[in-house]
Amino acid sequence: MRMVDLIEKKRDGKALSTEEIQFIIKGFTDGTIPDYQMSAWSMAVYFKGMNEQERADLTMAMVESGDQIDLSMIEGIKVDKHSTGGVGDTTTLVLGPLVAAVGVPVAKMSGRGLGHTGGTIDKLESVSGFHVEIENDEFIRLVNKNKIAVIGQSGNLTPADKKLYALRDVTATVNSIGLIAGSIMSKKIAAGADAIVLDVKTGAGAFMKTLADSEELAHAMVSIGNNVGRNTMAVISDMSQPLGYAIGNALEVKEAIDTLKGEGPEDLTELSLTLGSHMVYLAKKASSLKEARTLLENAIKDGSALNSFKIFLEAQGGDGSVVDHPEKLPQASYTFELEAKEDGYVSEIIADEVGTAAMLLGAGRATKESEIDLAVGLVLRKKIGETVAKGESLVTIYSNFEDVSKVKEKLYESIAVSKAKVEKPTLIYKEIME
Ligand code: URA
Ligand code: CA
């Protein structure tokens, strides 16, 4: 087999066979296929696309390029959840303990990563003592015992994807539905998920800005999952504004605690219950979505969801008393209010711009080496569609420095108030099963 022939075949719009796709991914991973040929192939894929079979083959070839996590020692169906980007998305922190409380095993491998706020691990590390440096057998033991544990990313997962994603980034080939879908799904499958719930964000703050694009990506990922034997479904949810109120590490942990108590923001609560119901259903802990939702609502009401969070934190060295005393989380030295300049309706809160404002405070990492300030961030006081009076607070700014003029400037640019009445945006657009 020669790579040049496979590039030509894709260039001419023909489908590649399983063996051909395996040849490409293997060769690219071990270096026998050079970047320039892989770039040409990626561009051909960008223009000609891939059919369902090719997408599934690409995904599995990338899964097989590195280690695969073996979760077979964990009892039950392991359901993983993945959100495509978003700002201040606290759902992972809420969903883990929530579904664990009704018996769904949550074996989460997580990262730190770049972005507006830290990754799930950074957020959890705002709980004093909590750590994810645990051995594999301890991880398995904890999931079997408590139904939830989080471990830091280790091993050599999907090296083909790492290499290909970096190449796509510099060859203008990131934005191909098939390549994105394969990239995301390969990581979930290599991490050992039996079933996958996807939260595909749509809107200004999302990777996919339009509903049509988000839907296409969702269908592509769901069909890959189902074609390779992982029960997969997707929810398309709004990211035209940040989810919940809090954007920042400790602030989001506090928000997750509130939500697990049944006192969280309406949108975060609703999305968590929706995604959670699908997780419980795919894990076969309920025979219908309705029953699954009732189980989760009861776990919030009777305190078991909050207790599951506490047990999880303590099992990994954390101070579990934060669930009753969130004031023990890192606190910022200063708070400031962003006052509305006029009366009206909040009409726009551009999620990624607000995220950038949180980053200016130090809540996120710009480079791998940056230090995160776990205490700082933003809490929205108004969401789209709400009325605001001149002088009322739109956002509370939690900062460890006194001069927040740049942050305020950024926030004023990203939040709009209009005279005309504005409707609340739809939160959940679609649930896609195939
Ligand atoms: N996120 C990924 O992990 N891969 C892509 O290709 C795009 C977004
Ligand atoms: Ca949030």
Side-chain angles (χ1 to χ4, degrees), residues 82 161 165 168 174 176 179-181 183-184 187 207:
H82 178 79
D161 172 63
Y165 200 2
R168 286 163 58 211
V174 167
S176 149
L179 293 175
I180 298 170
S183 169
I184 293 173
K187 286 176 278 219
F207 200 65

Side-chain angles (χ1 to χ4, degrees), residues 94 245 251-265 268-269 300 306 323 326:
V94 175
Y245 303 122
L251 293 167
E252 287 182 44
V253 172
K254 161 86 166 59
E255 181 166 78
I257 291 168
D258 291 342
T259 307
L260 290 166
K261 279 181 188 159
E263 297 161 6
L268 175 60
T269 302
I300 292 176
L306 187 67
V323 306

Side-chain angles (χ1 to χ4, degrees), residues 1 19 21 31 37 48 75 77 91 117 129 135 162 187 194 222 249 262 273-274 276 287 293 351 362 368 404 417:
M1 232 181 274
E19 293 70 33
I21 288 175
Q37 285 191 308
K48 299 294 179 175
E75 299 138 28
I77 300 171
T91 51
T117 61
E135 296 296 328
K162 238 173 241 140
K187 286 176 278 219
D194 299 321
V222 168
N249 299 282
L273 286 170
T274 301
S287 52
R293 188 176 171 116
K368 264 196 291 205
V404 293
V417 174

